[in-house]
Amino acid sequence: MTATATTATTTGPTATVPVPAPAPTRSRTVPAWVWALPPVAVLALAFLYPLALIVQQSVTPDDGGGLSLDPYADVFASEVFRDALTTTVWLAVGSTVGCLVLGFVLALVIAFVPFPGGKAVARFVDVFLSFPSFLITLALLFIYGSVGMANGLWTDVTGAADGPFHFLTTPWGVLLAEITYFTPFVMRPLLAAFSQLDTGQLEVASSLGAGPLRVIRQVILPEALPALAAGGSLVLVMCLNEFGIVLFTGAKDVTTLPMLVYSKAILESDYPAACVVAVVNIAISVGLYSLYRVVSRRAGA
């Protein structure tokens, strides 16, 4: 005779007796703030602590006497600082506008105009992003420098003692170098946006009689605005902080805020003034980035 298994409850005239469920075991999970401590500590040591030292040095005059805003007053009152601030802003804005226009045109050609080697050019844009800025500047110097290829060819053909190309040591040379280097930073998000664009919209617009310029203005450009805003804001912030291009072009009359920091700290050993200029540069960059985040959030980008 086989024994039957007993059930957890009994039925019939007697009341049902439920069997208590086993108590759930508590999993010992680590709080989220514990996992956040290592990256926060690394960020504090690598960025926040040096930034705090810069801010502290900017309010500490060399003559001692405790904290003071005299370094800020001295720097803001100097004509060199005002000229550097003006030069930095107009170079950054001009380079950004040039990168947006040139990057938009080149991205249109690569994305929508079939030509041999188009995919290779698109891949080269990704490779170009890894190049250091001074490398592009040196390439321009080899071509348009005082003893570059263009001037050498001119003197060989005309027999003149000197060539006509000397613009690299002017603000226009810095502008050309920055547009050349930073344009791919606009093209990359544009190419990504164009790859997701529904080509059916372009075909419908063309079938309805819209010309190429109208298709670009009414179909492609609205889809590209978030990418243009992202690339343009990135280029603007990077141009505000660009140091290598201005240094390697040899433009002695072009003084930007990063160049002024270098001049005050290295050449003049005026560390409080250098830190003041650095704080101003950081404040402008962070302010522009915050403004971009607000505008992009309201625009839904």
Side-chain angles (χ1 to χ4, degrees), residues 173-224:
V174 176
L175 189 67
L176 173 63
E178 290 188 348
I179 291 176
T180 303
Y181 177 69
F182 289 113
T183 294
F185 289 87
V186 175
M187 295 176 60
R188 183 62 269 171
L190 280 175
L191 291 174
F194 290 160
S195 65
Q196 300 177 357
L197 184 63
D198 185 9
T199 57
Q201 299 179 15
L202 305 180
E203 296 175 357
V204 170
S206 299
S207 64
L208 293 176
L213 293 180
R214 188 175 180 181
V215 171
I216 293 174
R217 185 177 67 253
Q218 296 185 354
V219 180
I220 297 179
L221 185 58
E223 298 293 333

Side-chain angles (χ1 to χ4, degrees), residues 47-278:
F47 177 74
L48 297 180
Y49 179 67
L51 181 61
L53 291 179
I54 293 175
V55 175
Q56 180 185 5
Q57 185 67 40
S58 69
V59 293
T60 306
D62 287 335
D63 56 2
L67 301 180
S68 175
L69 295 178
D70 290 342
Y72 283 87
D74 295 339
V75 169
F76 291 165
S78 65
E79 186 178 356
V80 175
F81 170 77
R82 293 194 295 269
D83 292 342
L85 180 60
T86 303
T87 303
T88 302
V89 172
W90 87 259
L91 278 177
V93 173
S95 300
T96 302
V97 173
C99 290
L100 288 174
V101 174
L102 182 60
F104 183 71
V105 173
L106 293 178
L108 278 177
V109 173
I110 294 175
F112 300 109
V113 179
F115 63 94
K119 293 183 178 180
V121 174
R123 294 191 186 98
F124 178 74
V125 172
D126 296 334
V127 177
F128 191 91
L129 298 178
S130 63
F131 289 173
S133 59
F134 70 86
L135 183 62
I136 306 304
T137 309
L138 286 178
L140 292 175
L141 286 174
F142 287 142
I143 300 175
Y144 299 110
S146 300
V147 292
M149 296 171 56
N151 283 325
L153 182 62
W154 178 273
T155 55
D156 291 340
V157 172
T158 63
D162 195 8
F165 303 104
H166 301 284
F167 62 89
L168 278 183
T169 57
T170 66
W172 300 108
V174 176
L175 189 67
L176 173 63
E178 290 188 348
I179 291 176
T180 303
Y181 177 69
F182 289 113
T183 294
F185 289 87
V186 175
M187 295 176 60
R188 183 62 269 171
L190 280 175
L191 291 174
F194 290 160
S195 65
Q196 300 177 357
L197 184 63
D198 185 9
T199 57
Q201 299 179 15
L202 305 180
E203 296 175 357
V204 170
S206 299
S207 64
L208 293 176
L213 293 180
R214 188 175 180 181
V215 171
I216 293 174
R217 185 177 67 253
Q218 296 185 354
V219 180
I220 297 179
L221 185 58
E223 298 293 333
L225 285 179
L228 283 172
S233 61
L234 176 63
V235 169
L236 181 61
V237 173
M238 294 178 69
C239 288
L240 285 171
N241 299 281
E242 181 54 40
F243 174 75
I245 289 179
V246 183
L247 180 64
F248 277 84
T249 53
K252 298 180 180 179
D253 296 333
V254 180
T255 302
T256 59
L257 291 180
M259 287 296 297
L260 188 59
V261 173
Y262 172 80
S263 176
K264 291 293 184 181
I266 305 302
L267 303 181
E268 302 177 17
S269 298
D270 189 355
Y271 296 108
C275 291
V276 169
V277 179

